[in-house]
Amino acid sequence: MIEHINWYPGHMKKTRELIQDNLKAVDLVVEILDSRIPVSSRNPIIGELLGNKKRIVLLGKCDLADEAETARWQEYFGGRNAALPMNAQTGEHTKEFFRLLQEYQRKRDAERSYKRPLRLMIVGVPNVGKSSFINRLTAKKSTKTGDRPGVTKGKQWITLENGMQLLDTPGILWPKFEDPKVGLYLAFCGSIKEEILDVQDLAFELLKVLRERYPEELRARYKLPELGSPDEYYEDLYDEDGMPIPPALADMEAIAEKRGFYLSGKRIDYERTGRMLLDEFRSGLIGRITLEQAPRK
């Protein structure tokens, strides 16, 4: 089992300093969270740096998340004037985002005699979709994108058609995850480089969550009716050493057998199975899944 994940290389410290040094130059901060894990993808360091600076929260990658949960999270963060779902792939909600910017522009112009277009700063954890979002706003490839953390290396000022300026910043994590679940959720969603992780163990932990929260999606995707069954279903399953097989591991092995992921000697290829499970979760093939539920009133 993965208990602790720590990931804080030198460029994270530089990004923190970059945000701090440029904060006075911007009027508004756009904080992008991952709709699937809005709490775990909210960096507490960013909150400390921003203080009372005005900000808009974007619930990114909303096309991969449970729609009902995204609506609850939007309400939790203050409704549509403070938080918006965002799908950078289709541009859904982009017009509403520009409407919010125009409202902020009017307020700023009314408060100050010197009028100029807004300056915005884009912040978020690695691989949360900042670059894809900016490319959607500019309708061109202004920044590099990739389905892995660490693509954006330095700050970039980008001018929109309406004259507003965006400061893109590299993704930033924090030195230590006090709650191990936060590190796991970030790893599930690809915000932590896989070089420091065991893919098999990570996929096993993901299956534990999915079989509890989204068993129907698991069954539908892999066409195995037993996936996500209650623990009692697996009570009679033992490994070759006579030890009980954990339900999530039994699910993982059933999926591997269904896909034909074997090594020589008919041994299950856990590495390939784990990577496939993570890839299919991250791309939404297993279903629209939100790992963190918004507080219920």
Side-chain angles (χ1 to χ4, degrees):
M1 174 180 174
I2 301 174
E3 294 184 354
H4 294 285
I5 298 174
N6 292 318
W7 172 249
Y8 196 74
H11 76 267
M12 296 285 178
K13 181 177 183 294
K14 292 181 180 178
T15 301
R16 175 176 179 160
E17 294 170 350
L18 185 154
I19 293 172
Q20 196 164 20
D21 292 345
N22 287 274
L23 204 53
K24 290 183 179 180
V26 301
D27 307 293
L28 181 68
V29 173
V30 179
E31 182 182 19
I32 302 182
L33 308 180
D34 191 316
S35 293
R36 298 166 294 180
I37 52 169
V39 174
S40 293
S41 61
R42 193 164 214 191
N43 188 338
I45 288 178
I46 289 177
E48 294 172 7
L49 293 175
L50 299 188
N52 295 323
K53 178 71 72 172
K54 293 180 180 178
R55 72 175 108 171
I56 295 175
V57 172
L58 295 184
L59 296 167
K61 301 189 177 182
C62 66
D63 54 312
L64 303 177
D66 186 319
E67 287 182 278
E69 284 298 331
T70 298
R72 293 188 185 99
W73 277 113
Q74 183 180 9
E75 188 63 29
Y76 172 82
F77 284 117
R80 70 187 188 91
N81 288 322
L84 278 178
M86 183 58 63
N87 180 354
Q89 302 304 315
T90 65
E92 184 182 5
H93 301 294
T94 302
K95 289 183 178 179
E96 195 168 357
F97 175 72
F98 274 113
R99 179 190 62 76
L100 281 180
L101 292 185
Q102 292 299 335
E103 288 182 9
Y104 276 103
Q105 180 75 69
R106 285 193 292 271
K107 290 179 182 177
R108 185 192 180 281
D109 289 347
E111 293 170 355
R112 303 186 184 186
S113 57
Y114 173 63
K115 296 177 175 55
R116 60 162 173 75
L118 284 179
R119 292 174 182 160
L120 319 172
M121 180 187 289
I122 311 293
V123 298
V125 300
N127 200 34
V128 79
K130 296 186 303 299
S131 297
S132 296
F133 169 65
I134 291 174
N135 289 341
R136 171 58 60 179
L137 294 183
T138 58
K140 60 183 179 180
K141 291 188 177 181
S142 302
T143 61
K144 294 181 180 180
T145 64
D147 188 23
R148 66 187 191 282
V151 175
T152 302
K153 298 299 183 183
K155 73 174 183 179
Q156 303 179 73
W157 279 103
I158 299 154
T159 302
L160 303 181
E161 289 184 0
N162 61 7
M164 294 181 183
Q165 291 184 310
L166 300 177
L167 174 59
D168 185 22
T169 61
I172 177 176
L173 292 176
W174 53 109
K176 183 179 180 181
F177 306 127
E178 298 297 337
D179 183 351
K181 187 183 292 185
V182 169
L184 276 178
Y185 283 1
L186 286 167
F188 292 160
C189 294
S191 291
I192 298 175
K193 288 189 175 182
E194 290 185 353
E195 286 85 342
I196 67 167
L197 304 171
D198 186 305
V199 171
Q200 302 174 51
D201 288 347
L202 189 61
F204 172 72
E205 295 296 332
L206 175 62
L207 268 177
K208 285 166 64 175
V209 178
L210 295 182
R211 71 185 314 277
E212 178 183 347
R213 293 280 311 282
Y214 291 92
E216 293 181 7
E217 283 75 6
L218 276 178
R219 289 191 281 268
R221 175 60 186 168
Y222 300 107
K223 298 179 174 57
L224 291 166
E226 70 272 22
L227 292 185
S229 296
D231 291 4
E232 294 78 13
Y233 177 86
Y234 300 95
E235 284 182 348
D236 296 329
L237 291 181
Y238 300 90
D239 63 19
E240 57 187 18
D241 296 320
M243 299 295 293
I245 297 177
L249 181 59
D251 283 349
M252 192 172 184
E253 292 178 346
I255 292 170
E257 291 171 3
K258 179 77 174 183
R259 291 290 179 94
F261 292 165
Y262 292 109
L263 299 169
S264 60
K266 257 318 193 184
R267 293 175 295 123
I268 288 176
D269 190 338
Y270 292 102
E271 177 78 18
R272 185 181 178 190
T273 306
R275 191 164 298 282
M276 179 273 296
L277 284 166
L278 290 169
D279 288 345
E280 295 202 350
F281 163 72
R282 292 169 183 170
S283 62
L285 290 176
I286 297 177
R288 299 187 64 159
I289 291 168
T290 298
L291 301 178
E292 294 177 329
Q293 290 185 324
R296 266 51 172 178
K297 294 182 179 179

